[in-house]
Amino acid sequence: MEKTLIIAKPDAVQRGLIGEIVKRLENKGLKLIGIKMASLDEAMLRNHYAEHVDKDFYTGLENFMKSSPVVLMAWEGYECVDAVRTLVGATNPRQAVPGSIRGDLAAGTGRNLIHASDSKKSGEAEVASFFKDDELFEYDKSEYIHVYEENERG
Ligand code: UDP
Ligand code: MG
């Protein structure tokens, strides 16, 4: 089953939006397979945002991501990477559609509440990079039969 990493960023922690974010992902029917709080350091952030380290916004992004703890979550579901990106909304929250998390709850690109993996490959890699094996949980979710058709449940 496909996996995706969500980081509820420092603005989500500071604004008390962790529950709201979890609720929206739960309401979609996704399965939570790992969750923990962490302080991200420079090395972790440079690795996670490797594609952005040379960009002009990177220093601000790194400082912001270190400004308070974050909440890391691993979620699982059929084609969940794209489903979650849609739920999260556009990078610039002012352009994110109403109904999406960023569209409803955020206003600044550098304060857009959430990171979500952007491909099946990055979902696998990012979950593996932030969670040890014993921090990830395999279990049957009883409501799955009412969320997915049989061929989608894997
Ligand atoms: N970011 C920023 N300024 C920009 C572009 C991006 O501060 O002009 C930050 C923003 O927090 C964004 C993150 O860098 O979420 C990663 O950028 P990306 O383009 O990968 O957006 P995402 O995948 O998070 O939607
Ligand atoms: Mg990205």
Side-chain angles (χ1 to χ4, degrees):
M1 191 63 87
E2 204 165 291
K3 293 180 178 55
T4 191
L5 178 80
I6 287 282
I7 306 177
K9 296 179 180 181
D11 46 346
V13 173
Q14 295 293 336
R15 292 178 57 200
L17 291 172
I18 303 304
E20 176 71 26
I21 290 165
V22 171
K23 186 181 85 176
R24 286 173 181 237
L25 296 164
E26 284 184 325
N27 285 355
K28 185 72 174 172
L30 299 170
K31 186 197 281 188
L32 183 63
I33 58 167
I35 184 165
K36 62 182 178 181
M37 201 166 205
S39 291
L40 303 183
D41 63 21
E42 182 183 336
M44 293 159 114
L45 287 162
R46 289 183 77 85
N47 180 56
H48 176 67
Y49 283 127
E51 64 178 316
H52 298 310
V53 284
D54 295 327
K55 297 188 181 153
D56 56 1
F57 63 80
Y58 181 75
T59 302
L61 174 62
E62 185 188 303
N63 288 336
F64 170 64
M65 292 297 290
K66 291 192 295 196
S67 67
S68 87
V70 299
V71 175
L72 300 164
M73 296 174 234
W75 292 84
E76 198 178 81
Y78 180 66
E79 296 181 350
C80 71
V81 169
D82 285 349
V84 167
R85 290 284 291 190
T86 301
L87 216 59
V88 166
T91 305
N92 178 346
R94 295 184 298 282
Q95 290 164 5
V97 294
S100 67
I101 295 171
R102 288 169 172 167
D104 286 351
L105 302 171
T109 300
R111 301 289 185 271
N112 61 8
L113 295 173
I114 286 186
H115 166 80
S117 305
D118 64 4
S119 68
K120 190 176 160 80
K121 197 171 154 216
S122 68
E124 284 287 336
E126 290 176 358
V127 167
S129 121
F130 284 103
F131 287 89
K132 298 182 191 123
D133 285 350
D134 66 2
E135 293 173 328
L136 294 169
F137 297 84
E138 273 181 44
Y139 60 98
D140 288 329
K141 194 159 190 272
S142 60
E143 76 166 20
Y144 253 30
I145 58 170
H146 295 114
V147 174
Y148 295 116
E149 291 176 77
E150 192 173 357
N151 64 310
E152 298 169 337
R153 292 198 292 274

Short mmCIF file of all heavy atoms in Angstrom, two decimals, residues 49 51-52 85 91 102 115-118 126, ligand 2:
data_model
loop_
_atom_site.label_atom_id
_atom_site.label_comp_id
_atom_site.label_asym_id
_atom_site.label_seq_id
_atom_site.Cartn_x
_atom_site.Cartn_y
_atom_site.Cartn_z
N TYR A 49 14.96 18.63 2.28
CA TYR A 49 14.71 19.66 1.27
C TYR A 49 15.88 19.78 0.29
O TYR A 49 16.16 20.88 -0.20
CB TYR A 49 14.44 21.01 1.95
CG TYR A 49 13.04 21.14 2.53
CD1 TYR A 49 12.86 21.50 3.87
CD2 TYR A 49 11.90 20.95 1.74
CE1 TYR A 49 11.57 21.65 4.41
CE2 TYR A 49 10.62 21.09 2.28
CZ TYR A 49 10.47 21.45 3.59
OH TYR A 49 9.20 21.60 4.11
N GLU A 51 16.28 19.25 -2.78
CA GLU A 51 16.01 19.91 -4.07
C GLU A 51 15.92 21.43 -3.94
O GLU A 51 15.93 22.15 -4.93
CB GLU A 51 14.72 19.37 -4.69
CG GLU A 51 13.49 19.68 -3.85
CD GLU A 51 12.17 19.18 -4.46
OE1 GLU A 51 11.96 19.37 -5.67
OE2 GLU A 51 11.36 18.62 -3.71
N HIS A 52 15.82 21.93 -2.69
CA HIS A 52 15.63 23.38 -2.49
C HIS A 52 16.83 24.08 -1.85
O HIS A 52 16.80 25.29 -1.68
CB HIS A 52 14.41 23.63 -1.60
CG HIS A 52 13.12 23.15 -2.19
ND1 HIS A 52 12.72 23.45 -3.47
CD2 HIS A 52 12.13 22.37 -1.67
CE1 HIS A 52 11.53 22.89 -3.72
NE2 HIS A 52 11.16 22.22 -2.65
N ARG A 85 -1.88 15.22 -1.49
CA ARG A 85 -1.45 16.49 -2.09
C ARG A 85 -2.68 17.34 -2.47
O ARG A 85 -2.69 18.56 -2.30
CB ARG A 85 -0.60 16.25 -3.35
CG ARG A 85 0.77 15.67 -3.10
CD ARG A 85 1.78 16.65 -2.55
NE ARG A 85 2.19 17.67 -3.49
CZ ARG A 85 3.21 18.50 -3.26
NH1 ARG A 85 3.91 18.44 -2.12
NH2 ARG A 85 3.54 19.42 -4.12
N THR A 91 1.05 25.00 -3.00
CA THR A 91 2.15 25.49 -2.14
C THR A 91 1.87 26.90 -1.64
O THR A 91 2.11 27.21 -0.47
CB THR A 91 3.47 25.45 -2.94
OG1 THR A 91 3.67 24.13 -3.43
CG2 THR A 91 4.65 25.86 -2.06
N ARG A 102 -4.52 23.96 3.15
CA ARG A 102 -3.86 25.27 2.99
C ARG A 102 -4.87 26.33 2.54
O ARG A 102 -4.79 27.48 2.97
CB ARG A 102 -2.71 25.15 1.98
CG ARG A 102 -1.49 24.39 2.52
CD ARG A 102 -0.51 24.09 1.40
NE ARG A 102 0.75 23.53 1.85
CZ ARG A 102 1.64 22.96 1.02
NH1 ARG A 102 1.39 22.88 -0.28
NH2 ARG A 102 2.77 22.49 1.49
N HIS A 115 3.99 19.74 5.16
CA HIS A 115 4.71 19.10 4.06
C HIS A 115 3.99 17.80 3.73
O HIS A 115 3.58 17.07 4.64
CB HIS A 115 6.16 18.76 4.45
CG HIS A 115 6.78 17.81 3.47
ND1 HIS A 115 7.29 18.22 2.27
CD2 HIS A 115 6.88 16.45 3.49
CE1 HIS A 115 7.72 17.15 1.59
NE2 HIS A 115 7.48 16.07 2.31
N ALA A 116 3.86 17.50 2.45
CA ALA A 116 3.32 16.20 2.03
C ALA A 116 4.18 15.68 0.88
O ALA A 116 4.52 16.43 -0.04
CB ALA A 116 1.87 16.34 1.57
N SER A 117 4.52 14.40 0.93
CA SER A 117 5.34 13.79 -0.12
C SER A 117 4.72 14.02 -1.50
O SER A 117 3.49 14.07 -1.63
CB SER A 117 5.46 12.28 0.12
OG SER A 117 5.94 12.01 1.41
N ASP A 118 5.59 14.15 -2.52
CA ASP A 118 5.05 14.52 -3.84
C ASP A 118 5.09 13.40 -4.88
O ASP A 118 4.71 13.62 -6.03
CB ASP A 118 5.77 15.77 -4.37
CG ASP A 118 7.25 15.53 -4.63
OD1 ASP A 118 7.72 14.39 -4.48
OD2 ASP A 118 7.93 16.51 -5.00
N GLU A 126 10.74 9.15 2.22
CA GLU A 126 10.59 10.09 3.34
C GLU A 126 10.07 9.40 4.60
O GLU A 126 10.52 9.70 5.71
CB GLU A 126 9.67 11.25 2.92
CG GLU A 126 10.33 12.17 1.89
CD GLU A 126 9.41 13.27 1.37
OE1 GLU A 126 8.23 13.33 1.77
OE2 GLU A 126 9.90 14.09 0.56
MG MG B 2 7.71 19.71 -2.21
#
